[in-house]
């Protein structure tokens, strides 16, 4: 079972890079971890299993909750770790760094099982449609560009703009999927969504500035 989920296997990565068998998808990794006998699981165990795909997986797991209605201010909670992780990717790290107090904190494995049951089936269907394609630039440079785009999307999530969380969150999820599967088309869609998010922020910011200017001018009369 370790051979199935351990993405650190060098032969597995080399075969994948050469167009050979694809490594197991995130849905399979989550299900495999959820089915282990130990009653508790740590974030370190999950990240070790994901290894060199940890950045993409963390983007998906952290950004996905923003795709459903959440209480006001919730996006702020999710945006901070996205910004931290994206900044590390821009810096050139190959594996995310988080404090040991967070990595080694254990939680009930039933939570992971619930996540695997809810997220796993739709994620598996999406993964079946993805494949390595349109990877025209160096992987290291590509990952840094994805990190920069995810950083921008994380900052947009941080901003208190009503109903503006869905698009950047979806963009981050797509960037994560594209990273894991090396699917350039999916990453390109994520880039377009981030550009749309920037346009939304600019429009809202412009409207807010115009309204503030009009109120100021009115009060000066």
């Amino acid at each position: 079972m370790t051979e199935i989920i351990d993405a650190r296997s060098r032969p597995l990565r080399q075969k994948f890079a050469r167009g050979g068998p694809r490594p197991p998808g995130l849905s399979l990794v989550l299900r495999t971890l959820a089915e282990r006998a130990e009653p508790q699981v740590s974030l370190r165990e999950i990240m070790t299993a994901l290894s060199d795909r940890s950045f993409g997986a963390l983007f998906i797991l952290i950004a996905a909750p923003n795709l459903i209605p959440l209480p006001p201010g919730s996006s702020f909670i999710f945006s901070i770790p996205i910004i931290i992780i994206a900044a590390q990717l821009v810096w050139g790290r190959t594996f995310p760094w988080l404090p040991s107090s967070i990595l080694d904190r254990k939680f009930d494995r039933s939570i992971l099982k619930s996540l695997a049951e809810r997220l796993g089936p739709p994620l598996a269907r999406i993964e079946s449609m993805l494949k390595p394609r349109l990877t025209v630039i160096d992987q290291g440079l590509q990952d840094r560009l994805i990190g920069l785009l995810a950083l921008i999307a994380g900052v947009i999530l941080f901003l208190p703009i009503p109903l503006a969380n869905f698009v950047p969150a979806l963009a981050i999820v797509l960037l994560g999927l594209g990273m894991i599967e090396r699917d350039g088309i999916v990453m390109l869609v994520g880039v377009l969504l981030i550009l749309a998010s920037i346009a939304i922020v600019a429009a809202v910011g412009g409207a807010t500035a115009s309204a503030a200017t009009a109120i100021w001018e009115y009060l000066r009369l």
Side-chain angles (χ1 to χ4, degrees), residues 79-97:
S79 65
I80 298 300
I82 289 174
I83 291 172
I84 294 174
I85 293 169
Q88 293 179 45
L89 193 56
V90 174
W91 186 259
R93 289 188 62 89
T94 57
F95 192 76
W97 175 88

Side-chain angles (χ1 to χ4, degrees), residues 6 40-41 52 63 65 67 80 102 117 123 141 149 159 165-166 189 197 199 209 212:
D6 189 358
Q40 291 187 315
V41 60
D52 53 0
L67 300 179
I80 298 300
I102 295 178
E117 290 174 349
L123 184 58
L141 176 59
L149 292 167
L159 300 175
N165 300 334
F166 182 86
V189 175
S197 300

